[in-house]
Amino acid sequence: MQKKTIISAALAVASLAGIALAGSGKTVVVPNPTQPVAQPKVESRFSGTVQAGYKSNYDCRGIVASHSLVEGDSVIPVALDMSYSIAEKEALLFGISYDVLTSGHHLYGMDGASFHNEADIYAAYQQKDMGLKNLTATVGWNLNYGGLLGNYAKYGKDKAHSVTQEFFLNLNYDIGDHFFAGVTTSYGFQGVTGWWFQPYVGHKATLCERTDIVTTLGMSATASYFNSENWLGNANGSQAFFVKAELPTKLTENLSVVPFVSLNWLGNGSLKANKGVEDGSKPYKNFGVVAGANIVYNF
């Protein structure tokens, strides 16, 4: 009897609650425990790329080193680049890269003069639409060990370690119709001091659903960077001119292969170094072709 009374009371309370809610015009939806409520996707603030590949010649800012300078040609590059979004149009950038020379590490074959593998580390701040729509500004710091810049430092006037440091500013503007233009300005404050400029223009087009083609024309030039006591005899002014074509192709959603080729010509400043070598062993190639490919993973 008592059990029936309790059940009847519970049913009555439930009935009154239903009438009250019906009168309020509200609908009560009871979640089905077998169908969990979907949670909104939370996008990570971190993103980046990991890449590794091959290129046929060692080059630095458009300058292609000769076989006599580095006792070899081909290079295996690896790199990690990361971005941390701090706002809708602002990010912090970090990266490290390493170029492995596949043969000899001596300048002109001399045992007492080393041409090291090249390592680079950078950190930067980036802002999009910087005062102008489609203008991206990136300002940061770069440390270089080894490679051509490291040898400028080690065997130059100050006989320093194979390390250079610099601050840099890159301005990149998307012009429209798939064209872009920009310039990177660097100021070296350790190893070699002075200015290095790298202006460029380019175009990006879609060849098919998975493949683009990116063509870039650029140059590099220095001011107060070289002097008469530099070990390679470079002069300030134009250092190199180049045109580069890339074919980034998606293999999967996150994996791509990027074949590339660049044609490189020396500027007046670097040509002076070639003319100043008495034994005919040019440090740079007057004209050099650099070809290769990278495998790139996006995360």
Side-chain angles (χ1 to χ4, degrees):
M1 182 70 179
Q2 185 178 4
K3 184 176 180 180
K4 289 183 178 180
T5 303
I6 294 174
I7 293 175
S8 299
L11 291 173
V13 170
S15 177
L16 290 172
I19 293 171
L21 288 171
S24 66
K26 295 182 180 180
T27 302
V28 177
V29 179
V30 180
N32 186 341
T34 62
Q35 298 179 354
V37 179
Q39 298 297 322
K41 183 179 180 180
V42 179
E43 294 187 2
S44 173
R45 289 178 174 266
F46 280 102
S47 61
T49 62
V50 178
Q51 58 182 303
Y54 169 87
K55 59 182 180 179
S56 59
N57 286 281
Y58 172 83
D59 64 317
C60 176
R61 298 182 177 178
I63 301 172
V64 181
S66 70
H67 180 88
S68 63
L69 181 66
V70 297
E71 286 189 319
D73 293 314
S74 57
V75 173
I76 297 174
V78 293
L80 167 67
D81 297 282
M82 295 186 65
S83 173
Y84 178 75
S85 177
I86 56 178
E88 182 182 358
K89 297 182 179 180
E90 299 176 68
L92 298 178
L93 310 180
F94 312 90
I96 182 169
S97 63
Y98 195 72
D99 284 358
V100 181
L101 304 176
T102 59
S103 55
H105 291 70
H106 299 108
L107 291 169
Y108 297 115
M110 299 183 296
D111 291 338
S114 298
F115 196 103
H116 299 293
N117 294 335
E118 181 176 342
D120 286 275
I121 301 172
Y122 74 88
Y125 165 80
Q126 183 179 85
Q127 181 170 338
K128 298 180 180 180
D129 296 339
M130 181 71 174
L132 184 67
K133 186 174 176 59
N134 298 330
L135 176 65
T136 299
T138 306
V139 59
W141 157 87
N142 179 64
L143 181 146
N144 169 274
Y145 170 80
L148 194 58
L149 298 183
N151 279 277
Y152 286 155
K154 185 172 183 178
Y155 300 107
K157 177 181 177 181
D158 296 331
K159 301 297 188 294
H161 297 290
S162 300
V163 174
T164 63
Q165 291 192 72
E166 62 188 12
F167 297 116
F168 68 88
L169 169 65
N170 172 262
L171 298 175
N172 186 86
Y173 181 66
D174 290 328
I175 302 172
D177 293 327
H178 307 288
F179 285 94
F180 58 88
V183 60
T184 300
T185 301
S186 306
Y187 178 75
F189 63 89
Q190 181 188 356
V192 184
T193 59
W195 297 91
W196 203 305
F197 308 95
Q198 300 171 83
Y200 59 87
V201 295
H203 180 263
K204 180 179 179 180
T206 299
L207 291 182
C208 61
E209 183 179 357
R210 290 182 172 270
T211 304
D212 296 327
I213 180 169
V214 183
T215 307
T216 308
L217 288 80
M219 70 165 295
S220 65
T222 56
S224 68
Y225 198 87
F226 297 113
N227 54 45
S228 59
E229 299 182 51
N230 186 281
W231 75 281
L232 283 181
N234 291 61
N236 286 306
S238 61
Q239 301 302 329
F241 302 88
F242 66 89
V243 55
K244 183 177 184 180
E246 302 169 275
L247 286 173
T249 302
K250 272 193 171 186
L251 303 178
T252 66
E253 184 64 28
N254 296 324
L255 189 65
S256 301
V257 60
V258 186
F260 63 86
V261 61
S262 69
L263 310 179
N264 305 65
W265 296 264
L266 286 186
N268 291 330
S270 293
L271 282 172
K272 182 180 179 182
N274 278 353
K275 294 175 181 178
V277 179
E278 295 180 359
D279 61 6
S281 298
K282 297 179 179 180
Y284 312 131
K285 294 184 178 181
N286 289 349
F287 171 73
V289 179
V290 181
N294 289 315
I295 296 293
V296 182
Y297 178 76
N298 296 279
F299 61 89

